Amino acid sequence: MRKIFTLVIFTICNLTIYSQTISGTITDANNNEELIGANIILENGGGTSTDVFGKYTLNTEEGTQKVTFKYIGYEDIVKEITINKGENKTINVALKSSSEQLSTVVVSAGRFEQKIEEITVSMEVIKPTLIENKNTTQIETAMDQIPGVNITDGQANIRGGSGWSFGAGTRVLVMVDDMPLISGDAGQAQWSLIATENINQVEVIKGASSALYGSSALNGVINVRTAFPSQKDIDKNKLPGYTKVNMHFGLIDKAERDELNWNGEKRRAFKGIEFLQAMKIDNLDLSIGGNIFKDDGYRMGEITDRKRFNMNSTYKSKKIEGLSYGVNANFLSQSSGSTLIWNGLDEAYIPLDSSISTTTGDTYNIDPFVTYLRGNNRHSLRTRFLNVTNNNLTDGVDVGQSNSSKTYYADYQWQKNIKKYKLRITSGTTNEKVKANSDLFSGKNYKTNHSLYTQLDKKWNRLNISLGARYEGFSLHSEDKYFIGGDSINDFYAGKPVFRTGLNYQAAEATYVRASWGQGYRFPSMAELFISTNQSGLEIYPNPDLKPESGWSSEIGIKQGVKTGKWMGYIDVAAFIQQYDDMMEFSYGQWGSARSNEVGGVGFKSINVGKTRITGAELSLSGQGKITPDLTINLIAGYTYMNPISLDLDYVYGEDYYEKPLTYRNSGSDSTMLKYRYKHIAKGDLEIVYKEISLGGSVRYNSFMKNIDAIFTNPLLPYLTGITGINESREKFGSGDLIIDLRAGYQITKTARLGLIVNNLLNREYMSRPANMMPPRTIAMQLALKI
């Protein structure tokens, strides 16, 4: 009883001492939005935080004391407050964003600017400094540094959603400024057309995104955002823009094993120069850039000669407020050699039978666009003409394997921001027409694609909600007819609605919990349906009976902001599941003819493999900022665990070698695992900048690729095809691949930087897939100028 009495007396005394209060609202100084979970700290150590409306109330002592208002990513404000006995004082505070904060703003998640911590899906962002400092000559090599992402033979694979599909079809939509950069016939990403010299940032969405972006976004989206000169650049340089020039020269080192050095003692070389001129001229934003690149190649005959030019322009109308328009364009002329299969483990840099396929041609896109902003409404019309021409020569001889396609694309979008209800509506229609003429794909083919889509994004106190839907219809006409199910047909149709939803809840000041679910749908490319060719001595067969694939993906995740001094970053943890129906895979086996009942030969073909599922978890860490005034640290790292399995073992995947056709069995300890995938991927890139000196390093680990097509491991394979060394290589590299890159730089002057880049520092032998050995160590010097 005495203890209770003492507690009551103490409480009364405490209330008497703190009978005065301060209260108010804390907002973002830039957009006036209330900040949830902002901290108010008294000098004596007491404090509180704001509620879901950004409001706070705090009991305090009478007199004068300092009060600190702080929120992660914003500059602290310290106020000296005098309060009289019994007084209730209102203090409203507007916090400014810190210049040192991570402040990553993304567009791809909802087609409008959002803070990355508030989006409802998993996303990674690559900044241009990483691309530049790694001496990236083609953007797909930088994508390999993103957690959970692999690039194999030009095909992107996110969290095990894709296997190996050589040059045909993609489940990951590659875009530049929200416009798809996929060839109309093969459905192949045009990586070489992307201007590495003019990148603001690269945004990677993980998971099905078809509701907003369409067919090829079944497994995710890679969106490259280009840059324009800002007012900050102009003020800094006292010029109407800036100029960038990057030059590099490098050597391909000898392999550790002498038998691999087909070029003898002579080292192969690569060199290039790229430039960018960005400027503001009155109401015109203009950037012009280009790239010249020559690579002798680390494999026999794989010589690349590339010339690229790009232009971006936006003009803001003086007569009509809110109206802007312009044209973006990229032009590429290149010649490049390639091969599908090596000549053996001891001749891994020599193509099978020394057969080289050389592709020459011109690829370009021209993108007129117009945008009109009026009040809370935004209208945009973005169009594209994409021309891809590939003249394919085998050992310098035209053997009738060329292809070309013309794609006409238009996307109209209306967006309305209802600020009163914190609701954003995005609706639009996409229309595409493809004309293809190809020796590879049996003559002339025509494809059309029409779609309607809508997405709603609502902010409700701490909760962000996204809802989206899309209907997409395809039609394809071929001049050739194909024998399917007893009928001879040349017209193909398909269509399907897809939906998505996502939630993001701010649980604390810098803690965000999210959940998402989305459907995906992909119509097969012309190449997957109709291709008939020979690559490196191996036959590739058509499959006009190929069905569209569909699926869904779901995840739950948490993103936690961290701050040490002026260094800021995020730790992100996610668990995911992806499930597909009628998944398409590139498989090696014995096939019949598509035009008759004749028996075909042994080779590659795209087939449906039934129901599949990929489950897993991912941990990633990213951050940037200053530890001390002279020391800056930039970091991106992640680990991904994946369990890709077949749910239809009797459909294609099976255990018994003798009871299944040769194609339909995997090689590995777990026959349920999908082919050409990893279970574990770990990646990291760390860069330390001290005054004028920078030191950076990258590490990539892929676990052993357990399952491949069984025919590759058949002891009779060398006698049937001439391919040797597959089993020996799988035994040799059975522990997986660990690759380390290193780079160093010195800022000579304010405008000039010198860099040294060493890729595959340890000169490891490793493969991206069976019979495809990757490059030995390369060493390059780089000189970068920015005026």
PDB file of all heavy atoms in Angstrom, residues 639-670:
ATOM      1  N   TYR A 639      22.630 -11.032 -51.562  1.00  0.00           N
ATOM      2  CA  TYR A 639      22.658 -12.490 -51.666  1.00  0.00           C
ATOM      3  C   TYR A 639      21.248 -12.962 -52.001  1.00  0.00           C
ATOM      4  O   TYR A 639      20.259 -12.507 -51.406  1.00  0.00           O
ATOM      5  CB  TYR A 639      23.109 -13.127 -50.353  1.00  0.00           C
ATOM      6  CG  TYR A 639      22.771 -14.598 -50.266  1.00  0.00           C
ATOM      7  CD1 TYR A 639      23.486 -15.542 -51.006  1.00  0.00           C
ATOM      8  CD2 TYR A 639      21.712 -15.041 -49.482  1.00  0.00           C
ATOM      9  CE1 TYR A 639      23.162 -16.889 -50.948  1.00  0.00           C
ATOM     10  CE2 TYR A 639      21.381 -16.394 -49.416  1.00  0.00           C
ATOM     11  CZ  TYR A 639      22.110 -17.308 -50.156  1.00  0.00           C
ATOM     12  OH  TYR A 639      21.776 -18.637 -50.106  1.00  0.00           O
ATOM     13  N   THR A 640      21.149 -13.878 -52.979  1.00  0.00           N
ATOM     14  CA  THR A 640      19.860 -14.416 -53.407  1.00  0.00           C
ATOM     15  C   THR A 640      19.888 -15.935 -53.353  1.00  0.00           C
ATOM     16  O   THR A 640      20.794 -16.566 -53.917  1.00  0.00           O
ATOM     17  CB  THR A 640      19.533 -13.969 -54.843  1.00  0.00           C
ATOM     18  OG1 THR A 640      19.668 -12.561 -54.954  1.00  0.00           O
ATOM     19  CG2 THR A 640      18.095 -14.354 -55.199  1.00  0.00           C
ATOM     20  N   TYR A 641      18.904 -16.510 -52.657  1.00  0.00           N
ATOM     21  CA  TYR A 641      18.712 -17.962 -52.651  1.00  0.00           C
ATOM     22  C   TYR A 641      17.486 -18.282 -53.487  1.00  0.00           C
ATOM     23  O   TYR A 641      16.427 -17.659 -53.328  1.00  0.00           O
ATOM     24  CB  TYR A 641      18.495 -18.482 -51.226  1.00  0.00           C
ATOM     25  CG  TYR A 641      17.964 -19.911 -51.214  1.00  0.00           C
ATOM     26  CD1 TYR A 641      18.814 -20.980 -51.457  1.00  0.00           C
ATOM     27  CD2 TYR A 641      16.615 -20.155 -51.001  1.00  0.00           C
ATOM     28  CE1 TYR A 641      18.332 -22.271 -51.476  1.00  0.00           C
ATOM     29  CE2 TYR A 641      16.116 -21.454 -51.016  1.00  0.00           C
ATOM     30  CZ  TYR A 641      16.977 -22.510 -51.255  1.00  0.00           C
ATOM     31  OH  TYR A 641      16.490 -23.788 -51.284  1.00  0.00           O
ATOM     32  N   MET A 642      17.603 -19.263 -54.397  1.00  0.00           N
ATOM     33  CA  MET A 642      16.510 -19.634 -55.284  1.00  0.00           C
ATOM     34  C   MET A 642      16.335 -21.146 -55.300  1.00  0.00           C
ATOM     35  O   MET A 642      17.315 -21.882 -55.286  1.00  0.00           O
ATOM     36  CB  MET A 642      16.780 -19.134 -56.709  1.00  0.00           C
ATOM     37  CG  MET A 642      16.852 -17.627 -56.849  1.00  0.00           C
ATOM     38  SD  MET A 642      17.854 -17.129 -58.267  1.00  0.00           S
ATOM     39  CE  MET A 642      19.491 -17.590 -57.710  1.00  0.00           C
ATOM     40  N   ASN A 643      15.090 -21.589 -55.373  1.00  0.00           N
ATOM     41  CA  ASN A 643      14.779 -23.006 -55.504  1.00  0.00           C
ATOM     42  C   ASN A 643      13.839 -23.176 -56.700  1.00  0.00           C
ATOM     43  O   ASN A 643      12.626 -23.213 -56.555  1.00  0.00           O
ATOM     44  CB  ASN A 643      14.123 -23.537 -54.231  1.00  0.00           C
ATOM     45  CG  ASN A 643      13.890 -25.041 -54.300  1.00  0.00           C
ATOM     46  OD1 ASN A 643      14.654 -25.762 -54.926  1.00  0.00           O
ATOM     47  ND2 ASN A 643      12.823 -25.499 -53.667  1.00  0.00           N
ATOM     48  N   PRO A 644      14.403 -23.258 -57.922  1.00  0.00           N
ATOM     49  CA  PRO A 644      13.582 -23.361 -59.135  1.00  0.00           C
ATOM     50  C   PRO A 644      13.251 -24.812 -59.446  1.00  0.00           C
ATOM     51  O   PRO A 644      14.146 -25.613 -59.704  1.00  0.00           O
ATOM     52  CB  PRO A 644      14.482 -22.748 -60.213  1.00  0.00           C
ATOM     53  CG  PRO A 644      15.876 -22.983 -59.719  1.00  0.00           C
ATOM     54  CD  PRO A 644      15.831 -23.136 -58.226  1.00  0.00           C
ATOM     55  N   ILE A 645      11.983 -25.188 -59.434  1.00  0.00           N
ATOM     56  CA  ILE A 645      11.604 -26.598 -59.630  1.00  0.00           C
ATOM     57  C   ILE A 645      10.498 -26.721 -60.673  1.00  0.00           C
ATOM     58  O   ILE A 645       9.750 -25.778 -60.938  1.00  0.00           O
ATOM     59  CB  ILE A 645      11.136 -27.242 -58.313  1.00  0.00           C
ATOM     60  CG1 ILE A 645       9.888 -26.521 -57.778  1.00  0.00           C
ATOM     61  CG2 ILE A 645      12.248 -27.231 -57.278  1.00  0.00           C
ATOM     62  CD1 ILE A 645       9.238 -27.223 -56.607  1.00  0.00           C
ATOM     63  N   SER A 646      10.393 -27.918 -61.227  1.00  0.00           N
ATOM     64  CA  SER A 646       9.286 -28.260 -62.117  1.00  0.00           C
ATOM     65  C   SER A 646       8.149 -28.856 -61.298  1.00  0.00           C
ATOM     66  O   SER A 646       8.367 -29.664 -60.401  1.00  0.00           O
ATOM     67  CB  SER A 646       9.753 -29.272 -63.168  1.00  0.00           C
ATOM     68  OG  SER A 646       8.650 -29.800 -63.869  1.00  0.00           O
ATOM     69  N   LEU A 647       6.933 -28.434 -61.622  1.00  0.00           N
ATOM     70  CA  LEU A 647       5.744 -29.023 -60.993  1.00  0.00           C
ATOM     71  C   LEU A 647       5.084 -30.044 -61.902  1.00  0.00           C
ATOM     72  O   LEU A 647       4.067 -30.636 -61.545  1.00  0.00           O
ATOM     73  CB  LEU A 647       4.741 -27.908 -60.654  1.00  0.00           C
ATOM     74  CG  LEU A 647       5.236 -26.820 -59.704  1.00  0.00           C
ATOM     75  CD1 LEU A 647       4.149 -25.772 -59.482  1.00  0.00           C
ATOM     76  CD2 LEU A 647       5.692 -27.405 -58.387  1.00  0.00           C
ATOM     77  N   ASP A 648       5.659 -30.229 -63.109  1.00  0.00           N
ATOM     78  CA  ASP A 648       5.139 -31.184 -64.089  1.00  0.00           C
ATOM     79  C   ASP A 648       6.266 -32.122 -64.509  1.00  0.00           C
ATOM     80  O   ASP A 648       6.774 -32.042 -65.627  1.00  0.00           O
ATOM     81  CB  ASP A 648       4.595 -30.451 -65.322  1.00  0.00           C
ATOM     82  CG  ASP A 648       3.114 -30.167 -65.209  1.00  0.00           C
ATOM     83  OD1 ASP A 648       2.444 -30.869 -64.445  1.00  0.00           O
ATOM     84  OD2 ASP A 648       2.644 -29.240 -65.881  1.00  0.00           O
ATOM     85  N   LEU A 649       6.661 -33.028 -63.644  1.00  0.00           N
ATOM     86  CA  LEU A 649       7.798 -33.898 -63.948  1.00  0.00           C
ATOM     87  C   LEU A 649       7.549 -34.760 -65.170  1.00  0.00           C
ATOM     88  O   LEU A 649       8.451 -35.022 -65.962  1.00  0.00           O
ATOM     89  CB  LEU A 649       8.118 -34.781 -62.743  1.00  0.00           C
ATOM     90  CG  LEU A 649       8.615 -34.056 -61.489  1.00  0.00           C
ATOM     91  CD1 LEU A 649       8.943 -35.072 -60.410  1.00  0.00           C
ATOM     92  CD2 LEU A 649       9.835 -33.217 -61.807  1.00  0.00           C
ATOM     93  N   ASP A 650       6.321 -35.235 -65.348  1.00  0.00           N
ATOM     94  CA  ASP A 650       6.018 -36.120 -66.469  1.00  0.00           C
ATOM     95  C   ASP A 650       5.888 -35.360 -67.782  1.00  0.00           C
ATOM     96  O   ASP A 650       5.840 -35.967 -68.849  1.00  0.00           O
ATOM     97  CB  ASP A 650       4.723 -36.892 -66.199  1.00  0.00           C
ATOM     98  CG  ASP A 650       4.875 -37.871 -65.051  1.00  0.00           C
ATOM     99  OD1 ASP A 650       6.031 -38.293 -64.817  1.00  0.00           O
ATOM    100  OD2 ASP A 650       3.877 -38.196 -64.393  1.00  0.00           O
ATOM    101  N   TYR A 651       5.791 -34.031 -67.686  1.00  0.00           N
ATOM    102  CA  TYR A 651       5.596 -33.228 -68.895  1.00  0.00           C
ATOM    103  C   TYR A 651       6.896 -33.115 -69.684  1.00  0.00           C
ATOM    104  O   TYR A 651       6.943 -33.355 -70.878  1.00  0.00           O
ATOM    105  CB  TYR A 651       5.087 -31.840 -68.487  1.00  0.00           C
ATOM    106  CG  TYR A 651       4.481 -31.062 -69.620  1.00  0.00           C
ATOM    107  CD1 TYR A 651       3.128 -31.171 -69.916  1.00  0.00           C
ATOM    108  CD2 TYR A 651       5.260 -30.206 -70.384  1.00  0.00           C
ATOM    109  CE1 TYR A 651       2.574 -30.446 -70.945  1.00  0.00           C
ATOM    110  CE2 TYR A 651       4.709 -29.476 -71.418  1.00  0.00           C
ATOM    111  CZ  TYR A 651       3.358 -29.589 -71.702  1.00  0.00           C
ATOM    112  OH  TYR A 651       2.806 -28.876 -72.723  1.00  0.00           O
ATOM    113  N   VAL A 652       7.973 -32.737 -69.015  1.00  0.00           N
ATOM    114  CA  VAL A 652       9.285 -32.652 -69.652  1.00  0.00           C
ATOM    115  C   VAL A 652      10.378 -33.161 -68.734  1.00  0.00           C
ATOM    116  O   VAL A 652      11.213 -33.953 -69.119  1.00  0.00           O
ATOM    117  CB  VAL A 652       9.600 -31.204 -70.079  1.00  0.00           C
ATOM    118  CG1 VAL A 652      11.069 -31.053 -70.422  1.00  0.00           C
ATOM    119  CG2 VAL A 652       8.746 -30.809 -71.271  1.00  0.00           C
ATOM    120  N   TYR A 653      10.347 -32.713 -67.489  1.00  0.00           N
ATOM    121  CA  TYR A 653      11.403 -33.081 -66.554  1.00  0.00           C
ATOM    122  C   TYR A 653      11.139 -34.477 -65.987  1.00  0.00           C
ATOM    123  O   TYR A 653      10.017 -34.811 -65.618  1.00  0.00           O
ATOM    124  CB  TYR A 653      11.472 -32.066 -65.407  1.00  0.00           C
ATOM    125  CG  TYR A 653      12.065 -30.747 -65.820  1.00  0.00           C
ATOM    126  CD1 TYR A 653      11.276 -29.761 -66.397  1.00  0.00           C
ATOM    127  CD2 TYR A 653      13.420 -30.494 -65.644  1.00  0.00           C
ATOM    128  CE1 TYR A 653      11.816 -28.552 -66.789  1.00  0.00           C
ATOM    129  CE2 TYR A 653      13.972 -29.291 -66.030  1.00  0.00           C
ATOM    130  CZ  TYR A 653      13.169 -28.318 -66.605  1.00  0.00           C
ATOM    131  OH  TYR A 653      13.712 -27.124 -66.993  1.00  0.00           O
ATOM    132  N   GLY A 654      12.190 -35.288 -65.911  1.00  0.00           N
ATOM    133  CA  GLY A 654      12.025 -36.630 -65.376  1.00  0.00           C
ATOM    134  C   GLY A 654      13.340 -37.196 -64.904  1.00  0.00           C
ATOM    135  O   GLY A 654      14.401 -36.717 -65.279  1.00  0.00           O
ATOM    136  N   GLU A 655      13.282 -38.252 -64.128  1.00  0.00           N
ATOM    137  CA  GLU A 655      14.489 -38.806 -63.533  1.00  0.00           C
ATOM    138  C   GLU A 655      15.087 -39.946 -64.360  1.00  0.00           C
ATOM    139  O   GLU A 655      16.287 -40.102 -64.424  1.00  0.00           O
ATOM    140  CB  GLU A 655      14.184 -39.312 -62.119  1.00  0.00           C
ATOM    141  CG  GLU A 655      13.800 -38.198 -61.155  1.00  0.00           C
ATOM    142  CD  GLU A 655      13.640 -38.742 -59.749  1.00  0.00           C
ATOM    143  OE1 GLU A 655      14.377 -39.663 -59.389  1.00  0.00           O
ATOM    144  OE2 GLU A 655      12.774 -38.242 -59.032  1.00  0.00           O
ATOM    145  N   ASP A 656      14.239 -40.759 -64.939  1.00  0.00           N
ATOM    146  CA  ASP A 656      14.729 -41.988 -65.567  1.00  0.00           C
ATOM    147  C   ASP A 656      15.233 -41.712 -66.973  1.00  0.00           C
ATOM    148  O   ASP A 656      14.474 -41.412 -67.880  1.00  0.00           O
ATOM    149  CB  ASP A 656      13.608 -43.035 -65.601  1.00  0.00           C
ATOM    150  CG  ASP A 656      14.165 -44.407 -65.951  1.00  0.00           C
ATOM    151  OD1 ASP A 656      15.245 -44.466 -66.560  1.00  0.00           O
ATOM    152  OD2 ASP A 656      13.512 -45.401 -65.596  1.00  0.00           O
ATOM    153  N   TYR A 657      16.517 -41.826 -67.158  1.00  0.00           N
ATOM    154  CA  TYR A 657      17.153 -41.542 -68.439  1.00  0.00           C
ATOM    155  C   TYR A 657      16.612 -42.431 -69.555  1.00  0.00           C
ATOM    156  O   TYR A 657      16.454 -42.007 -70.687  1.00  0.00           O
ATOM    157  CB  TYR A 657      18.660 -41.713 -68.289  1.00  0.00           C
ATOM    158  CG  TYR A 657      19.430 -41.510 -69.569  1.00  0.00           C
ATOM    159  CD1 TYR A 657      19.730 -40.237 -70.019  1.00  0.00           C
ATOM    160  CD2 TYR A 657      19.848 -42.600 -70.320  1.00  0.00           C
ATOM    161  CE1 TYR A 657      20.434 -40.048 -71.186  1.00  0.00           C
ATOM    162  CE2 TYR A 657      20.553 -42.422 -71.486  1.00  0.00           C
ATOM    163  CZ  TYR A 657      20.852 -41.146 -71.905  1.00  0.00           C
ATOM    164  OH  TYR A 657      21.546 -40.955 -73.058  1.00  0.00           O
ATOM    165  N   TYR A 658      16.309 -43.681 -69.252  1.00  0.00           N
ATOM    166  CA  TYR A 658      15.932 -44.626 -70.288  1.00  0.00           C
ATOM    167  C   TYR A 658      14.449 -44.572 -70.624  1.00  0.00           C
ATOM    168  O   TYR A 658      14.034 -45.086 -71.654  1.00  0.00           O
ATOM    169  CB  TYR A 658      16.327 -46.042 -69.854  1.00  0.00           C
ATOM    170  CG  TYR A 658      17.812 -46.186 -69.694  1.00  0.00           C
ATOM    171  CD1 TYR A 658      18.386 -46.161 -68.425  1.00  0.00           C
ATOM    172  CD2 TYR A 658      18.647 -46.320 -70.800  1.00  0.00           C
ATOM    173  CE1 TYR A 658      19.767 -46.284 -68.273  1.00  0.00           C
ATOM    174  CE2 TYR A 658      20.019 -46.440 -70.652  1.00  0.00           C
ATOM    175  CZ  TYR A 658      20.578 -46.422 -69.392  1.00  0.00           C
ATOM    176  OH  TYR A 658      21.934 -46.519 -69.242  1.00  0.00           O
ATOM    177  N   GLU A 659      13.640 -43.982 -69.746  1.00  0.00           N
ATOM    178  CA  GLU A 659      12.213 -43.940 -70.009  1.00  0.00           C
ATOM    179  C   GLU A 659      11.760 -42.630 -70.659  1.00  0.00           C
ATOM    180  O   GLU A 659      10.629 -42.499 -71.063  1.00  0.00           O
ATOM    181  CB  GLU A 659      11.436 -44.133 -68.698  1.00  0.00           C
ATOM    182  CG  GLU A 659      11.592 -45.533 -68.124  1.00  0.00           C
ATOM    183  CD  GLU A 659      10.770 -45.731 -66.870  1.00  0.00           C
ATOM    184  OE1 GLU A 659      10.065 -44.768 -66.480  1.00  0.00           O
ATOM    185  OE2 GLU A 659      10.822 -46.817 -66.289  1.00  0.00           O
ATOM    186  N   LYS A 660      12.651 -41.658 -70.730  1.00  0.00           N
ATOM    187  CA  LYS A 660      12.305 -40.365 -71.309  1.00  0.00           C
ATOM    188  C   LYS A 660      13.105 -40.147 -72.596  1.00  0.00           C
ATOM    189  O   LYS A 660      14.212 -40.679 -72.752  1.00  0.00           O
ATOM    190  CB  LYS A 660      12.630 -39.234 -70.327  1.00  0.00           C
ATOM    191  CG  LYS A 660      11.801 -39.292 -69.041  1.00  0.00           C
ATOM    192  CD  LYS A 660      10.367 -38.889 -69.301  1.00  0.00           C
ATOM    193  CE  LYS A 660       9.551 -38.942 -68.037  1.00  0.00           C
ATOM    194  NZ  LYS A 660       8.153 -38.605 -68.278  1.00  0.00           N
ATOM    195  N   PRO A 661      12.548 -39.385 -73.536  1.00  0.00           N
ATOM    196  CA  PRO A 661      13.366 -38.990 -74.686  1.00  0.00           C
ATOM    197  C   PRO A 661      14.617 -38.272 -74.204  1.00  0.00           C
ATOM    198  O   PRO A 661      14.638 -37.701 -73.118  1.00  0.00           O
ATOM    199  CB  PRO A 661      12.442 -38.043 -75.460  1.00  0.00           C
ATOM    200  CG  PRO A 661      11.068 -38.439 -75.034  1.00  0.00           C
ATOM    201  CD  PRO A 661      11.186 -38.870 -73.614  1.00  0.00           C
ATOM    202  N   LEU A 662      15.640 -38.288 -75.022  1.00  0.00           N
ATOM    203  CA  LEU A 662      16.938 -37.751 -74.621  1.00  0.00           C
ATOM    204  C   LEU A 662      16.840 -36.304 -74.152  1.00  0.00           C
ATOM    205  O   LEU A 662      17.534 -35.885 -73.231  1.00  0.00           O
ATOM    206  CB  LEU A 662      17.913 -37.857 -75.812  1.00  0.00           C
ATOM    207  CG  LEU A 662      19.405 -37.849 -75.481  1.00  0.00           C
ATOM    208  CD1 LEU A 662      19.745 -38.967 -74.515  1.00  0.00           C
ATOM    209  CD2 LEU A 662      20.218 -37.984 -76.754  1.00  0.00           C
ATOM    210  N   THR A 663      15.943 -35.552 -74.774  1.00  0.00           N
ATOM    211  CA  THR A 663      15.801 -34.138 -74.441  1.00  0.00           C
ATOM    212  C   THR A 663      15.218 -33.932 -73.059  1.00  0.00           C
ATOM    213  O   THR A 663      15.496 -32.957 -72.394  1.00  0.00           O
ATOM    214  CB  THR A 663      14.812 -33.484 -75.432  1.00  0.00           C
ATOM    215  OG1 THR A 663      15.190 -33.850 -76.729  1.00  0.00           O
ATOM    216  CG2 THR A 663      14.812 -31.989 -75.274  1.00  0.00           C
ATOM    217  N   TYR A 664      14.393 -34.874 -72.634  1.00  0.00           N
ATOM    218  CA  TYR A 664      13.519 -34.630 -71.498  1.00  0.00           C
ATOM    219  C   TYR A 664      14.108 -35.054 -70.158  1.00  0.00           C
ATOM    220  O   TYR A 664      13.389 -35.382 -69.234  1.00  0.00           O
ATOM    221  CB  TYR A 664      12.189 -35.354 -71.703  1.00  0.00           C
ATOM    222  CG  TYR A 664      11.395 -34.859 -72.873  1.00  0.00           C
ATOM    223  CD1 TYR A 664      10.352 -35.609 -73.390  1.00  0.00           C
ATOM    224  CD2 TYR A 664      11.683 -33.645 -73.469  1.00  0.00           C
ATOM    225  CE1 TYR A 664       9.608 -35.155 -74.462  1.00  0.00           C
ATOM    226  CE2 TYR A 664      10.956 -33.173 -74.537  1.00  0.00           C
ATOM    227  CZ  TYR A 664       9.918 -33.943 -75.037  1.00  0.00           C
ATOM    228  OH  TYR A 664       9.189 -33.490 -76.084  1.00  0.00           O
ATOM    229  N   ARG A 665      15.404 -35.078 -70.081  1.00  0.00           N
ATOM    230  CA  ARG A 665      15.988 -35.407 -68.787  1.00  0.00           C
ATOM    231  C   ARG A 665      17.103 -34.416 -68.480  1.00  0.00           C
ATOM    232  O   ARG A 665      17.864 -34.027 -69.345  1.00  0.00           O
ATOM    233  CB  ARG A 665      16.556 -36.823 -68.789  1.00  0.00           C
ATOM    234  CG  ARG A 665      17.205 -37.194 -67.457  1.00  0.00           C
ATOM    235  CD  ARG A 665      17.854 -38.563 -67.548  1.00  0.00           C
ATOM    236  NE  ARG A 665      18.512 -38.924 -66.317  1.00  0.00           N
ATOM    237  CZ  ARG A 665      19.777 -38.590 -66.027  1.00  0.00           C
ATOM    238  NH1 ARG A 665      20.470 -37.865 -66.874  1.00  0.00           N
ATOM    239  NH2 ARG A 665      20.316 -38.955 -64.888  1.00  0.00           N
ATOM    240  N   ASN A 666      17.197 -34.007 -67.237  1.00  0.00           N
ATOM    241  CA  ASN A 666      18.249 -33.108 -66.821  1.00  0.00           C
ATOM    242  C   ASN A 666      19.459 -33.888 -66.351  1.00  0.00           C
ATOM    243  O   ASN A 666      19.365 -35.044 -65.982  1.00  0.00           O
ATOM    244  CB  ASN A 666      17.773 -32.211 -65.675  1.00  0.00           C
ATOM    245  CG  ASN A 666      16.732 -31.245 -66.156  1.00  0.00           C
ATOM    246  OD1 ASN A 666      16.755 -30.837 -67.294  1.00  0.00           O
ATOM    247  ND2 ASN A 666      15.808 -30.907 -65.278  1.00  0.00           N
ATOM    248  N   SER A 667      20.582 -33.207 -66.318  1.00  0.00           N
ATOM    249  CA  SER A 667      21.797 -33.785 -65.771  1.00  0.00           C
ATOM    250  C   SER A 667      22.060 -33.135 -64.428  1.00  0.00           C
ATOM    251  O   SER A 667      22.298 -31.956 -64.349  1.00  0.00           O
ATOM    252  CB  SER A 667      22.978 -33.528 -66.705  1.00  0.00           C
ATOM    253  OG  SER A 667      24.183 -33.839 -66.073  1.00  0.00           O
ATOM    254  N   GLY A 668      21.987 -33.884 -63.374  1.00  0.00           N
ATOM    255  CA  GLY A 668      22.239 -33.318 -62.060  1.00  0.00           C
ATOM    256  C   GLY A 668      21.688 -34.201 -60.975  1.00  0.00           C
ATOM    257  O   GLY A 668      21.003 -35.188 -61.218  1.00  0.00           O
ATOM    258  N   SER A 669      21.973 -33.823 -59.735  1.00  0.00           N
ATOM    259  CA  SER A 669      21.544 -34.650 -58.610  1.00  0.00           C
ATOM    260  C   SER A 669      20.066 -34.481 -58.307  1.00  0.00           C
ATOM    261  O   SER A 669      19.462 -35.333 -57.679  1.00  0.00           O
ATOM    262  CB  SER A 669      22.373 -34.280 -57.375  1.00  0.00           C
ATOM    263  OG  SER A 669      22.214 -32.900 -57.076  1.00  0.00           O
ATOM    264  N   ASP A 670      19.468 -33.385 -58.719  1.00  0.00           N
ATOM    265  CA  ASP A 670      18.053 -33.127 -58.441  1.00  0.00           C
ATOM    266  C   ASP A 670      17.344 -32.880 -59.763  1.00  0.00           C
ATOM    267  O   ASP A 670      17.415 -31.806 -60.332  1.00  0.00           O
ATOM    268  CB  ASP A 670      17.909 -31.916 -57.516  1.00  0.00           C
ATOM    269  CG  ASP A 670      16.453 -31.628 -57.169  1.00  0.00           C
ATOM    270  OD1 ASP A 670      15.582 -32.401 -57.612  1.00  0.00           O
ATOM    271  OD2 ASP A 670      16.191 -30.637 -56.482  1.00  0.00           O
TER     272      ASP A 670
END
